[in-house]
Amino acid sequence: MVTTWDVAGRGVLRLPSGCWCGAGVAGRGAGGRGAEFGVYLLGRDPGVTAWEARWVRWPDFRLPSDRAAFAAVLREALSRAAGERVEFACGGGIRRTGTALACLAVLNGVPAREAVAYVRAGYHPRAVETPWQRRFVRRYGAGA
């Protein structure tokens, strides 16, 4: 694993393409070298970061408010992950982050029906916690 991402409050997910994405809790300091691009999945704007970032309006326990914008941010994050340190974060680092990572995995070639298990095995065992988030991932695969 990429040890520079292994800092407090963060995990990493290796995508099938070999790219890594850091993930965790928004607002926690990374320590050491931070992200170069961040995707923040929160109900309100996280404010300014020390690196380039995108905010996806996504209230806790729910789904992204603008699904087209979410899809565009995921495509950008996947493109950038090939050469940059990309992080995904939400308030707790499990539900919304896990759901976004599962959708990212689908974009990177993981079958939608396997994406939740893939993220649970590679990132966090409780990722993508709610039934509607799991359904969103399956449907995201059909529309990606």
Side-chain angles (χ1 to χ4, degrees), residues 23-110:
V25 180
R28 287 216 181 137
R33 192 172 149 213
E36 294 171 296
F37 180 72
V39 177
Y40 300 101
L41 315 159
L42 300 163
R44 61 187 165 161
D45 189 336
V48 176
T49 62
W51 46 83
E52 191 174 353
R54 302 287 178 269
W55 168 50
V56 175
R57 183 182 300 276
W58 191 333
D60 199 11
F61 294 101
R62 310 241 177 184
L63 296 171
S65 298
D66 184 338
R67 294 180 189 178
F70 171 68
V73 167
L74 278 188
R75 287 189 300 274
E76 179 179 8
L78 183 58
S79 172
R80 294 178 79 146
E84 296 177 58
R85 296 169 58 83
V86 174
E87 92 168 347
F88 284 79
C90 65
I94 298 172
R95 281 184 295 270
R96 291 169 285 183
T97 295
T99 303
L101 290 174
C103 291
L104 189 69
V106 169
L107 282 178
N108 202 236
V110 175

Side-chain angles (χ1 to χ4, degrees), residues 16 102-103 105-118 137-138 140-142:
C103 291
V106 169
L107 282 178
N108 202 236
V110 175
R113 68 187 177 285
E114 299 171 20
V116 171
Y118 182 86
V137 172
R138 285 192 309 271
Y140 187 82

